[in-house]
Amino acid sequence: MLDELRNAARRAVDESAVRTLLRDCRRLLSERGEANSAAIARQLVDRFIALPAAGQATFFRRLASDFSPDPKRVLQSAQAYAKASTAAHLVDLMRATEPPRQELLRRINRTPGGTASIVAMRRALLARVAAEPELGAVEDDFLHLLASWFNPGFLQLRQVDWHSPAHLLEQLIRHEAVHAIDGWDDLRRRLEPDRRCFAFFHPQLPDEPLIFVEVALLPDMPDAIAPLIARGATADPPAPGRFKVAAFYSISNCQPGLKGVSLGNFLIKRVAERLQDELPQLRTFCTLSPLPGFAAWLAAGPDFAALPGLKRGGAGRLADAARLLQEAHGDDLAGLHGAVAQQAAQEDEAGREALLRLGAAYLVHATPLPKGDPVARFHLDNGARLERLNFAGDVSKKGLKQAHGLMVNYLYDLDRIETHHEMFTRGEVAHSRAVAALL
Amino acid sequence: MLDELRNAARRAVDESAVRTLLRDCRRLLSERGEANSAAIARQLVDRFIALPAAGQATFFRRLASDFSPDPKRVLQSAQAYAKASTAAHLVDLMRATEPPRQELLRRINRTPGGTASIVAMRRALLARVAAEPELGAVEDDFLHLLASWFNPGFLQLRQVDWHSPAHLLEQLIRHEAVHAIDGWDDLRRRLEPDRRCFAFFHPQLPDEPLIFVEVALLPDMPDAIAPLIARGATADPPAPGRFKVAAFYSISNCQPGLKGVSLGNFLIKRVAERLQDELPQLRTFCTLSPLPGFAAWLAAGPDFAALPGLKRGGAGRLADAARLLQEAHGDDLAGLHGAVAQQAAQEDEAGREALLRLGAAYLVHATPLPKGDPVARFHLDNGARLERLNFAGDVSKKGLKQAHGLMVNYLYDLDRIETHHEMFTRGEVAHSRAVAALL
Amino acid sequence: MLDELRNAARRAVDESAVRTLLRDCRRLLSERGEANSAAIARQLVDRFIALPAAGQATFFRRLASDFSPDPKRVLQSAQAYAKASTAAHLVDLMRATEPPRQELLRRINRTPGGTASIVAMRRALLARVAAEPELGAVEDDFLHLLASWFNPGFLQLRQVDWHSPAHLLEQLIRHEAVHAIDGWDDLRRRLEPDRRCFAFFHPQLPDEPLIFVEVALLPDMPDAIAPLIARGATADPPAPGRFKVAAFYSISNCQPGLKGVSLGNFLIKRVAERLQDELPQLRTFCTLSPLPGFAAWLAAGPDFAALPGLKRGGAGRLADAARLLQEAHGDDLAGLHGAVAQQAAQEDEAGREALLRLGAAYLVHATPLPKGDPVARFHLDNGARLERLNFAGDVSKKGLKQAHGLMVNYLYDLDRIETHHEMFTRGEVAHSRAVAALL
Amino acid sequence: MLDELRNAARRAVDESAVRTLLRDCRRLLSERGEANSAAIARQLVDRFIALPAAGQATFFRRLASDFSPDPKRVLQSAQAYAKASTAAHLVDLMRATEPPRQELLRRINRTPGGTASIVAMRRALLARVAAEPELGAVEDDFLHLLASWFNPGFLQLRQVDWHSPAHLLEQLIRHEAVHAIDGWDDLRRRLEPDRRCFAFFHPQLPDEPLIFVEVALLPDMPDAIAPLIARGATADPPAPGRFKVAAFYSISNCQPGLKGVSLGNFLIKRVAERLQDELPQLRTFCTLSPLPGFAAWLAAGPDFAALPGLKRGGAGRLADAARLLQEAHGDDLAGLHGAVAQQAAQEDEAGREALLRLGAAYLVHATPLPKGDPVARFHLDNGARLERLNFAGDVSKKGLKQAHGLMVNYLYDLDRIETHHEMFTRGEVAHSRAVAALL
């Protein structure tokens, strides 16, 4: 009873706060706001941050309901434009169609710290939108504006190394998503002279990396992750002249509020260009990437025959491979890798081949499907080519669980990325002869 | 005959170049372009720059005709949204309505130097749009995006002084639009310790000032421009503690391609805040501004009775004042100022009062009209207050010709700018008692 | 037998290397060297570094024997100057007296990295000089030049915080000599907003801190070290306005090769001035310092009666105090502190007082003696005043062992440091009334 | 009478000020001063600056008389060292010999701005020392310390261009000593892409260039100055790849107080190294230099037979050349150059040859003499080689008057500067075959 009263009281307070916040929004959008927008926007942002989650949700709903375009006015403008497609009609149509909340966000963005606030708001919004599709149009407006503001022309590429500020390196440790960095000594290994790390920054968020990529400089294309991230300074790094390969082995986003804004694609290409300038002897730009969905796909017993683009007899060969593995190892392929680790892959050469064939099929034939491997989709859509599958590339617990230890190299050939990207938009996966030979 | 052939040949070459350029545009907008946009955009920009003026015009016309939204698709989406205003329908409507050339500009903006290219493109477009209204919607897209990218949250305020790079100072000399800077010695005077200069910069155009403002620090609100810009270092500038007034005496845009993007408004307020931080003893932030349209307005014989908001008897008093000036000086009021310059204003006290009254009426009653004084409209719309008219404030040739020597102080009271701005949107001009007493 | 041969061979190689190095030295000092000194100096430094320790020792001996002034020429010049003290004779005398190795070092210093090389050379030299006094004049030349080059006018004071480069912070962890920093998390605590860290840098060694000091901002003068260096971010640091005291709690040299060059003295004063500028509300600049020699002094059974400057009856009171402690605790005073730690000092109030009295006597009466406490000598010579002794100020193992847990505050009163310093040069220790009351 | 009284009064005031200043000096040198040197030094410097010239002279005299080493103590130390050349005796000797004013200057140097003050003091001192040789030992101490502090290892080489701060460029205009810069437009020509300008800076004087050199990048070694400094941007500068020659055409000191500190030598070599890095295609580093003393030497009627190192018959050939010129042109060779300017050198081919022969003799045979050409001595002592004489190289009024229009190229061959420098110390001038052929 008391609790109910208390909750009701809290709800009343929250509702009042949301009402005040909406009043701020209207004031900021008004003529008055035009003259003093920075001050009003600052206040508005402070009020939003102070709201509890429920209040923020209410606020987003009101952004959806109260700050959308007027359907009637839109229809009239569209009819006028359909009748006579003049410049004047088009300008009028666009005025009528743009949701007022876009201008609201642009005015918030005018204030110092405004951009960071909008990124934070979107983060909160993204957490809601799956459950409330009606917030989708609001989310679309946030994404539309952020994509415009975080376009790569505005981003600064900076190298991160052991001379970088500690507070920045700390964020790398925190945000590394692919191969966790276990403290400062581990980080240091990844910033040695035979390693590179680059991040994108936005002028409005000068202390916050948006996304960063870790690169290993090597004589050859790498086939396993462990040597790349092993701790301890390399006693004798190869002479710079011996580096022929730049391998992108980890790429991590730092800003959940920028989800969906294309950053990684541009980062990889800008870094490749920059490394090519710095080290003209580099011949190969590639990744060493996980296949996070492979084990789950295999465990689900895929219908090989339904895979698009198989060669003749391909489905049968895949079924044979799956059966062979199942018989020899059951669900647990650790034994297989154990053998490898003991440099005795020959003991189960057939098992090794079966696993690589299934991996190749997963990437070449299953990636283009809607639920295809996300890492593969990212690189293929960027225009990379599937170059090589690596058996026992990641024998960490996570690597064995997700992909039975397989890893993959995607190749970035800057002269051919346009062609490869286009292939992928048609549903084809560009791949090397070596991969084709597995199928 | 030969000339005709030559012209025809040139036209053919130009048309071919425009066709190639449009192909670049479509490629950049395509799926292929997504993967390699920076390279394509660079090429596209180079091709545009190489076009002769006529070719650029053709290109803009094609942007208008070929990259506008499809009226039918727009109408269908608008009808769906009118029927059911769901998020999905709204997102679809917005996709249908946005002209594809907006995405084109966003992709050009991704490349290094892209922003500068778009500003340059708009400069060329603005030169055309008055004569070809059908380019208006294209121009609207440019303005829409540039306003979003050059929002004040992204701009950097930097002080410019004698320690600034020479190439930057050179641009100040070139772009000063209000009171011309006559070479380096003249510039130096404006950067002495009792002067300030601030400019806005955009991270993408780090060497290009967008707009700059010149400020004089003074013990009192200034009533004439000559002492502020007199050459030669001030022998004895007042002690910093004696400065009570910051007078903005010149504000100049450097980028014609950013016309219409609101910069001056924010610059003045940011500078006022910064000076208040640096010099807490400052009490007054004001301008010393010209009335560029006053003399022309007066010469056209305005119908005083039609001015909105006049006090009772006001029209008669203005007519009297105009008649008195006409009888005493004809069209040439130089004699009146000559007297003043000789410190003998008392000889024609009545003429002096008549001129101030007419100036006050021009600003208070004629500014809100559509063709009102542009400088007055700028400051009043920013939320400034009309504070004082200054007889013989600018007795340069230009000052006498444009405004019979009158100058005006607008007062920026940061606590009241919102109110003043709102008054002005209602057609009222906030003004001091001293100004009211003139009417 | 083989070993002997091997050793002989090695010695021959070393001797040859030293001979080559000495030839470099002569060449650098010659006319030829003047024209190309940077190149020769670079080579010379490389050769020195490549020498084994024995070779370096030989080299230093040759610097002493071959690069000293000629006694005969010196004597002649001195006689001429004694006869007629003209400017010409003085200039000649100085030319004759300066060891040629000084010019050698100055020429080495001309090359990029030269300063760092000379610091490194001196480090090696210092390790030898105790055992070989004849190297003393060489060492004196190194010190003379380094003191001139590392004078505080050339040093840059920089704040070190969490935004500083990681490689710099790493050096703090490595060089902290007073209260060890246990890794990155521990360091971070010392760089929180209520802490400050400052270091001196030399323009020629931009990445190498020379010396750094750690400061705690506090409401009151601190009486124990543990709370200052406790790990974990302070949940609620006091508001900046509440800081009244800046306590220097650790000062560490980073360059053994600069031993004897006065840095700490200037660092403390520059930091005090800077903090006073930044936080005008600071009232007290003091240290929280160890008494590293106290326990050893006490254990040696000092002759109290021989202490200079004792008040009447002082020796007797000290002897009583020593006896009391001895009887109650023997050599191990840990029990005494244990009581304190349980906030039961009252259990052994007499023991506490006895210890403080002995500490005060040690600092006030034994410090001016040649073997006095080094930390006390440093601060008193800087012009600080002995302000307060703190019982149980450092109950770490090291603190208990060195000083039975005592710590001391020295007060830096910038207006009185000259007077206090002069007192100390006369053998008097400036101290507060509270300290006097203990004696 | 009144004047005498007034002068006496002023003298009394000055004497009192000098006495106060000397008291500051003794205090700074004392033990008290050690603890608070920065504050005392600041005051001392202010007092010195406030002194009138006569007071400064008195002060310098007192530095000579009161702050020199004690002859008796010096003699004792020298005797002890002569008897037993131990390290201890040497250290004692050096303590006894160093004038206390050296330590005084080192302590002044500790304060912010101290270095600049010492440079300014020496400037004042240099103006006196010619007339008062007894100040020579004081001057020697200043030079000794400044040479140590301004050693090239401490200097920063910075490129100066149109992006440099205006206040810096202004100093170039002011200090250019060889070919005057006539305002900002003239300066701009010298900072175009085919020009370079570099300056040395000291960390303690960050805004003050010490010395700067101007360089022209050219396809060929230049033979005349006019084209290098002609105003107006070069319409079409050659492509960077076409630059084969870097010609140093002007080098100017900015700090009279650093006279005698070797800067130009190091500047030229550091710049040559840097340009070689930036533009590996550069083949030749040379100067285009004046012969400031040639015309005066010739006019004085030199005794050719007395020139050292002449070939057989050389004196006769020179006498013939001088006679020929005298007969054809008298003292005024302008007519000769007039002919050249009209591209009609053939009209007086014999006159041209005679002039070049005399110029070559002046440089090759007269430069090693004590009063030899200062520019030649500078470059030859740096290790440059005399490469080519250029007839009509500088036909400006100054060029004709000083050297009858001759200019000369000195060649810097970094691999041979040591050899050439050594030759010059033996009295030989390294020169090309082309020059030898003239003699």
Side-chain angles (χ1 to χ4, degrees), chain B residues 90-138:
Chain B
L90 177 51
V91 168
D92 177 67
L93 170 67
M94 293 183 64
R95 298 265 187 286
T97 311
E98 192 187 87
R101 61 188 165 247
Q102 284 202 11
E103 180 64 15
L104 180 71
L105 292 176
R106 281 193 292 264
R107 292 192 179 189
I108 291 175
N109 195 37
R110 285 178 188 168
T111 189
T115 310
S117 304
I118 293 172
V119 172
M121 279 181 166
R122 182 163 178 254
R123 186 177 182 171
L125 176 57
L126 281 170
R128 297 247 141 218
V129 82
E132 299 191 43
E134 273 316 293
L135 299 179
V138 179

Side-chain angles (χ1 to χ4, degrees), chain B residues 190-273:
Chain B
R190 304 201 191 179
L191 303 174
E192 293 287 327
D194 60 342
R195 293 290 180 267
R196 291 290 185 280
C197 180
F198 293 92
F200 266 149
F201 290 81
H202 190 274
Q204 270 294 82
L205 302 155
D207 281 350
E208 301 270 345
L210 307 179
I211 184 172
F212 63 92
V213 65
E214 295 165 71
V215 190
L217 302 177
L218 299 161
D220 300 296
M221 190 158 75
D223 58 7
I225 189 67
L228 298 192
I229 59 174
R231 210 186 293 197
T234 36
D236 284 301
R242 289 202 50 221
F243 299 136
K244 302 294 180 205
V245 174
F248 301 81
Y249 66 91
S250 185
I251 183 161
S252 301
N253 282 290
C254 307
Q255 302 290 342
L258 291 178
K259 196 188 156 192
V261 176
S262 194
L263 297 171
N265 175 3
F266 296 102
L267 178 61
I268 288 176
K269 287 161 193 169
R270 285 267 289 275
V271 167
E273 283 178 8

Side-chain angles (χ1 to χ4, degrees), chain C residues 320-322 324-325 349-359:
Chain C
D320 291 349
L324 185 147
L325 283 178
E349 177 68 20
R352 186 178 161 281
E353 267 182 26
L355 193 63
L356 288 168
R357 168 166 298 160
L358 290 161

Side-chain angles (χ1 to χ4, degrees), chain D residues 248-271:
Chain D
F248 299 81
Y249 65 93
S250 184
I251 183 163
S252 301
N253 282 289
C254 308
Q255 302 290 341
L258 291 178
K259 196 187 155 192
V261 176
S262 194
L263 297 171
N265 176 1
F266 296 101
L267 178 61
I268 288 176
K269 287 160 193 169
R270 284 267 289 276
V271 167

Side-chain angles (χ1 to χ4, degrees), chain A residues 161-170 174 184-185 188 207, chain C residues 161-170 174 184-185 188 207:
Chain A
D161 59 23
W162 198 240
H163 280 70
S164 301
H167 82 98
L168 173 57
L169 298 184
E170 195 178 32
R174 188 183 315 139
W184 289 85
D185 294 331
R188 183 156 196 185
D207 282 349
Chain C
D161 60 22
W162 199 239
H163 280 69
S164 301
H167 82 99
L168 173 57
L169 299 183
E170 194 179 31
R174 189 184 313 140
W184 289 85
D185 294 332
R188 184 157 195 183
D207 281 350

